[in-house]
Amino acid sequence: MTAAAPGPAPLRVRLPAALVALFPDADRLVEIDAADVRGVVAALDRRWPGMGMRIADERPALRRHIAVVANGERLDLDARLEPGTDVWVLMAISGG
């Protein structure tokens, strides 16, 4: 018997505490299979309905106060992601 070949490594997506706090069963670190940032947002929304709209708007584009970063680069929704990439969803902090 031969073992099935492992698939591509999932993305490791790190979410900000302020976002996770809005979804009581959400985790700060999740593994997601997606080819691009848009797929990450869709997967997060399937797991925690409503999270996608906190990250991207109806245009669709990332919301003004959200940044998605991988490999030291700020990404847009169409950015491709290599399997196994660490992806950070960051929220801007503003004050008066």
Side-chain angles (χ1 to χ4, degrees), residues 37-47 52:
V37 174
R38 188 180 311 270
V40 168
V41 173
L44 289 170
D45 197 62
R46 282 191 301 275
R47 196 172 289 184

Side-chain angles (χ1 to χ4, degrees), residues 68-90:
V68 176
V69 177
N71 300 318
E73 228 181 289
R74 190 171 182 161
L75 307 173
D76 63 19
L77 285 175
D78 295 321
R80 303 282 303 161
L81 297 165
E82 292 297 319
T85 299
D86 285 322
V87 179
W88 297 80
V89 177
L90 306 172

Side-chain angles (χ1 to χ4, degrees), residues 12-93:
R12 289 175 302 280
V13 180
R14 289 168 169 78
L15 301 172
L19 180 62
V20 169
L22 300 172
F23 300 89
D25 62 336
D27 298 311
R28 295 280 317 270
L29 174 62
V30 294
E31 291 189 344
I32 292 177
D33 293 314
D36 56 22
V37 174
R38 188 180 311 270
V40 168
V41 173
L44 289 170
D45 197 62
R46 282 191 301 275
R47 196 172 289 184
W48 298 292
M51 187 177 284
M53 286 303 294
R54 298 284 182 163
I55 298 170
D57 61 23
E58 60 281 342
R59 286 179 274 169
L62 293 173
R63 292 200 176 272
R64 181 169 63 103
H65 63 283
I66 295 287
V68 176
V69 177
N71 300 318
E73 228 181 289
R74 190 171 182 161
L75 307 173
D76 63 19
L77 285 175
D78 295 321
R80 303 282 303 161
L81 297 165
E82 292 297 319
T85 299
D86 285 322
V87 179
W88 297 80
V89 177
L90 306 172
M91 296 178 78
I93 298 174

